[in-house]
Amino acid sequence: MIKTDVLIIGAGPVGLFAVQQLGLIGLKAEVVDNLDKIGGQCAELYPNKPIYDIPAIPECTGESLTKNLLEQIKPFKTNFHLNERVQEISKEKNNWKIVTSKDKIFIAPNIIIAGGVGSFEPRKFSVKEAEKFENNGVYYSIKDKNYFKNKKVCIFGGGDSALDWAIELSKFAEVILVHRRHEFRGVPHNIEIVKKLDKEGKIKIKTPFQINSIKGEDKITAILVKNDDGKIEEIKTDCVLGFFGLIMKLGPIVEWGLNLEKKHIPVNTENFQTNKDGIFAIGDICAYPGKLKLILSGFHEGALAARACFKLARPNEKYRFEFTTTSKSTHERLGLKVK
Ligand SMILES: Cc1cc2nc3c(=O)[nH]c(=O)nc-3n(C[C@H](O)[C@H](O)[C@H](O)COP(=O)(O)OP(=O)(O)OC[C@H]3O[C@@H](n4cnc5c(N)ncnc54)[C@H](O)[C@@H]3O)c2cc1C
């Protein structure tokens, strides 16, 4: 069980900046995100695209913004719990009890929901056996590529994730790349490499085929794939990897008794609190008149929510407004040498 001042749901840009705002006023945060990486939409949807409207940064990419936000919170040594979805929340005396999909439990007086458009989830295979073998032969992401060493692997998908992994795993596994169309959607460079590897016999491309069923008892032994003419073929394989992109689901948030307005959480703009005491919503997921779904708006929302968290985390202390330029306690928290 992990006790903290604030549990932040979402490691997108807004969740990250909220860590900084909390840290400056002496509050500790733990961050949970369903993705396998930090950065939310910036990292997942547009890591290399330029952003032009972050205050005082004329141009940055989704990736560099995430990197700088992480650099800014380094002094607070924040724990990130990735690949975990917040499933349940319940009230326990003056605290919230938060349970994740990996059964991790957090106890905190405050929750900040910085969940963006909901949790990113992989699009999955539609055949019924896929669920049975999920994480035991069927995978939608790769945590440790060495696991696939010397195995026979079927990779499905036509985008860069499928192509990248086909190229990478072909170095030490037997790879069959299956796609429902003849043309791949990845960058030309990746497509070129994959075709070259196919010619050299280092991978096998199978198009236009889709999965039809998965065979095996305790583990996968083979799959059946089908083309547009209904022709079915069997491929012997140890694992099946699906890279069909991500979908965004509001997910368990809908079950927490929060007021919702068209998949968004209405908040009070004085402190970004929801209809529940101690639960705040900031960033793309919150709704109020005039809301702009911009990163800079989320930063402001995080600053106000952080101050409101102070009241519940330190009920016997009075919050004092201070500038970072001149506040000694802030400098200490940042690990700066105090003059
Ligand atoms: C292509 C594109 C270009 C953009 N360009 C700009 C731009 O130029 N300027 C600008 O200001 N904005 C831009 N935006 C919008 C900007 O990316 C969003 O406003 C911003 O990402 C919102 O940040 P956030 O932290 O609120 O949410 P997100 O970035 O969406 O992060 C939310 C995180 O919460 C996680 N999560 C949700 N629910 C759970 C749960 N139950 N458990 C665990 N984790 C959960 C998700 O997995 C996700 O990682 C752009 C967006 C896109 C798609």
Side-chain angles (χ1 to χ4, degrees), residues 72 140 153 181 190 195 237 261 266 274 299 322:
Q72 203 173 19
Y140 299 101
V153 184
R181 297 192 206 289
N190 268 350
K195 287 193 172 157
T237 190
E261 219 174 66
T274 64
F299 287 171
E322 290 178 310

PDB file of all heavy atoms in Angstrom, residues 72 140 153 181 190 195 237 261 266 274 299 322:
ATOM      1  N   GLN A  72      12.092  19.099 -15.400  1.00  0.00           N
ATOM      2  CA  GLN A  72      11.627  20.089 -14.425  1.00  0.00           C
ATOM      3  C   GLN A  72      11.157  19.444 -13.113  1.00  0.00           C
ATOM      4  O   GLN A  72      11.188  20.090 -12.068  1.00  0.00           O
ATOM      5  CB  GLN A  72      10.472  20.894 -15.062  1.00  0.00           C
ATOM      6  CG  GLN A  72      10.249  22.238 -14.446  1.00  0.00           C
ATOM      7  CD  GLN A  72       9.221  23.047 -15.216  1.00  0.00           C
ATOM      8  OE1 GLN A  72       8.431  22.501 -15.993  1.00  0.00           O
ATOM      9  NE2 GLN A  72       9.223  24.346 -15.004  1.00  0.00           N
ATOM     10  N   TYR A 140       0.108  -7.226 -27.530  1.00  0.00           N
ATOM     11  CA  TYR A 140      -0.167  -5.975 -28.247  1.00  0.00           C
ATOM     12  C   TYR A 140       0.939  -4.943 -28.013  1.00  0.00           C
ATOM     13  O   TYR A 140       0.854  -3.818 -28.474  1.00  0.00           O
ATOM     14  CB  TYR A 140      -1.532  -5.415 -27.825  1.00  0.00           C
ATOM     15  CG  TYR A 140      -2.653  -6.378 -28.150  1.00  0.00           C
ATOM     16  CD1 TYR A 140      -3.220  -7.183 -27.163  1.00  0.00           C
ATOM     17  CD2 TYR A 140      -3.106  -6.514 -29.455  1.00  0.00           C
ATOM     18  CE1 TYR A 140      -4.222  -8.092 -27.463  1.00  0.00           C
ATOM     19  CE2 TYR A 140      -4.117  -7.416 -29.773  1.00  0.00           C
ATOM     20  CZ  TYR A 140      -4.665  -8.205 -28.770  1.00  0.00           C
ATOM     21  OH  TYR A 140      -5.657  -9.106 -29.075  1.00  0.00           O
ATOM     22  N   VAL A 153       7.288 -15.985 -34.830  1.00  0.00           N
ATOM     23  CA  VAL A 153       6.411 -14.871 -34.423  1.00  0.00           C
ATOM     24  C   VAL A 153       5.612 -14.361 -35.619  1.00  0.00           C
ATOM     25  O   VAL A 153       6.179 -14.036 -36.659  1.00  0.00           O
ATOM     26  CB  VAL A 153       7.274 -13.694 -33.894  1.00  0.00           C
ATOM     27  CG1 VAL A 153       6.403 -12.575 -33.370  1.00  0.00           C
ATOM     28  CG2 VAL A 153       8.241 -14.156 -32.814  1.00  0.00           C
ATOM     29  N   ARG A 181      -3.956  -5.617 -46.206  1.00  0.00           N
ATOM     30  CA  ARG A 181      -3.839  -4.996 -47.538  1.00  0.00           C
ATOM     31  C   ARG A 181      -2.467  -5.321 -48.127  1.00  0.00           C
ATOM     32  O   ARG A 181      -1.542  -5.666 -47.391  1.00  0.00           O
ATOM     33  CB  ARG A 181      -3.949  -3.474 -47.423  1.00  0.00           C
ATOM     34  CG  ARG A 181      -5.275  -3.019 -46.915  1.00  0.00           C
ATOM     35  CD  ARG A 181      -5.395  -1.511 -47.116  1.00  0.00           C
ATOM     36  NE  ARG A 181      -6.304  -0.922 -46.152  1.00  0.00           N
ATOM     37  CZ  ARG A 181      -7.619  -1.099 -46.168  1.00  0.00           C
ATOM     38  NH1 ARG A 181      -8.180  -1.837 -47.099  1.00  0.00           N
ATOM     39  NH2 ARG A 181      -8.382  -0.534 -45.252  1.00  0.00           N
ATOM     40  N   ASN A 190      10.912   2.287 -43.846  1.00  0.00           N
ATOM     41  CA  ASN A 190      10.573   1.011 -43.192  1.00  0.00           C
ATOM     42  C   ASN A 190      10.041   0.001 -44.206  1.00  0.00           C
ATOM     43  O   ASN A 190      10.381  -1.186 -44.146  1.00  0.00           O
ATOM     44  CB  ASN A 190       9.502   1.248 -42.118  1.00  0.00           C
ATOM     45  CG  ASN A 190      10.113   1.520 -40.754  1.00  0.00           C
ATOM     46  OD1 ASN A 190      11.312   1.345 -40.572  1.00  0.00           O
ATOM     47  ND2 ASN A 190       9.298   1.946 -39.816  1.00  0.00           N
ATOM     48  N   LYS A 195      10.650  -5.008 -47.280  1.00  0.00           N
ATOM     49  CA  LYS A 195      10.606  -5.715 -48.579  1.00  0.00           C
ATOM     50  C   LYS A 195      11.960  -6.355 -48.890  1.00  0.00           C
ATOM     51  O   LYS A 195      12.032  -7.454 -49.436  1.00  0.00           O
ATOM     52  CB  LYS A 195      10.183  -4.743 -49.680  1.00  0.00           C
ATOM     53  CG  LYS A 195       8.697  -4.427 -49.566  1.00  0.00           C
ATOM     54  CD  LYS A 195       8.159  -3.731 -50.774  1.00  0.00           C
ATOM     55  CE  LYS A 195       6.633  -3.638 -50.668  1.00  0.00           C
ATOM     56  NZ  LYS A 195       6.097  -2.571 -51.471  1.00  0.00           N
ATOM     57  N   THR A 237       3.008 -21.217 -35.517  1.00  0.00           N
ATOM     58  CA  THR A 237       3.652 -20.080 -34.828  1.00  0.00           C
ATOM     59  C   THR A 237       3.623 -20.255 -33.314  1.00  0.00           C
ATOM     60  O   THR A 237       2.788 -20.995 -32.782  1.00  0.00           O
ATOM     61  CB  THR A 237       2.968 -18.748 -35.227  1.00  0.00           C
ATOM     62  OG1 THR A 237       3.742 -17.664 -34.745  1.00  0.00           O
ATOM     63  CG2 THR A 237       1.561 -18.620 -34.668  1.00  0.00           C
ATOM     64  N   GLU A 261     -20.110  14.939 -18.482  1.00  0.00           N
ATOM     65  CA  GLU A 261     -20.797  15.719 -19.522  1.00  0.00           C
ATOM     66  C   GLU A 261     -20.131  15.358 -20.838  1.00  0.00           C
ATOM     67  O   GLU A 261     -18.974  15.746 -21.060  1.00  0.00           O
ATOM     68  CB  GLU A 261     -20.531  17.205 -19.229  1.00  0.00           C
ATOM     69  CG  GLU A 261     -21.685  18.128 -19.465  1.00  0.00           C
ATOM     70  CD  GLU A 261     -21.298  19.524 -18.974  1.00  0.00           C
ATOM     71  OE1 GLU A 261     -20.384  20.133 -19.562  1.00  0.00           O
ATOM     72  OE2 GLU A 261     -21.893  19.978 -17.974  1.00  0.00           O
ATOM     73  N   PRO A 266     -17.133  17.769 -15.471  1.00  0.00           N
ATOM     74  CA  PRO A 266     -17.339  19.180 -15.128  1.00  0.00           C
ATOM     75  C   PRO A 266     -16.597  19.532 -13.835  1.00  0.00           C
ATOM     76  O   PRO A 266     -16.552  18.729 -12.899  1.00  0.00           O
ATOM     77  CB  PRO A 266     -18.851  19.303 -14.915  1.00  0.00           C
ATOM     78  CG  PRO A 266     -19.440  18.062 -15.482  1.00  0.00           C
ATOM     79  CD  PRO A 266     -18.384  17.006 -15.439  1.00  0.00           C
ATOM     80  N   THR A 274     -14.020  18.324  -8.769  1.00  0.00           N
ATOM     81  CA  THR A 274     -15.204  17.726  -9.400  1.00  0.00           C
ATOM     82  C   THR A 274     -16.349  17.779  -8.393  1.00  0.00           C
ATOM     83  O   THR A 274     -16.245  18.465  -7.369  1.00  0.00           O
ATOM     84  CB  THR A 274     -14.902  16.260  -9.764  1.00  0.00           C
ATOM     85  OG1 THR A 274     -14.665  15.561  -8.528  1.00  0.00           O
ATOM     86  CG2 THR A 274     -13.670  16.151 -10.648  1.00  0.00           C
ATOM     87  N   PHE A 299      -1.914  23.456 -17.849  1.00  0.00           N
ATOM     88  CA  PHE A 299      -0.878  23.871 -16.887  1.00  0.00           C
ATOM     89  C   PHE A 299      -1.502  24.789 -15.820  1.00  0.00           C
ATOM     90  O   PHE A 299      -1.259  24.632 -14.625  1.00  0.00           O
ATOM     91  CB  PHE A 299       0.243  24.623 -17.605  1.00  0.00           C
ATOM     92  CG  PHE A 299       1.143  23.739 -18.450  1.00  0.00           C
ATOM     93  CD1 PHE A 299       2.085  24.303 -19.307  1.00  0.00           C
ATOM     94  CD2 PHE A 299       1.069  22.359 -18.383  1.00  0.00           C
ATOM     95  CE1 PHE A 299       2.922  23.503 -20.076  1.00  0.00           C
ATOM     96  CE2 PHE A 299       1.899  21.548 -19.149  1.00  0.00           C
ATOM     97  CZ  PHE A 299       2.830  22.133 -20.001  1.00  0.00           C
ATOM     98  N   GLU A 322       3.722  32.037  -2.496  1.00  0.00           N
ATOM     99  CA  GLU A 322       5.104  32.516  -2.619  1.00  0.00           C
ATOM    100  C   GLU A 322       5.545  32.477  -4.074  1.00  0.00           C
ATOM    101  O   GLU A 322       5.098  31.613  -4.840  1.00  0.00           O
ATOM    102  CB  GLU A 322       6.051  31.620  -1.825  1.00  0.00           C
ATOM    103  CG  GLU A 322       5.900  31.739  -0.321  1.00  0.00           C
ATOM    104  CD  GLU A 322       6.837  30.777   0.402  1.00  0.00           C
ATOM    105  OE1 GLU A 322       6.853  29.585   0.054  1.00  0.00           O
ATOM    106  OE2 GLU A 322       7.549  31.239   1.307  1.00  0.00           O
TER     107      GLU A 322
END
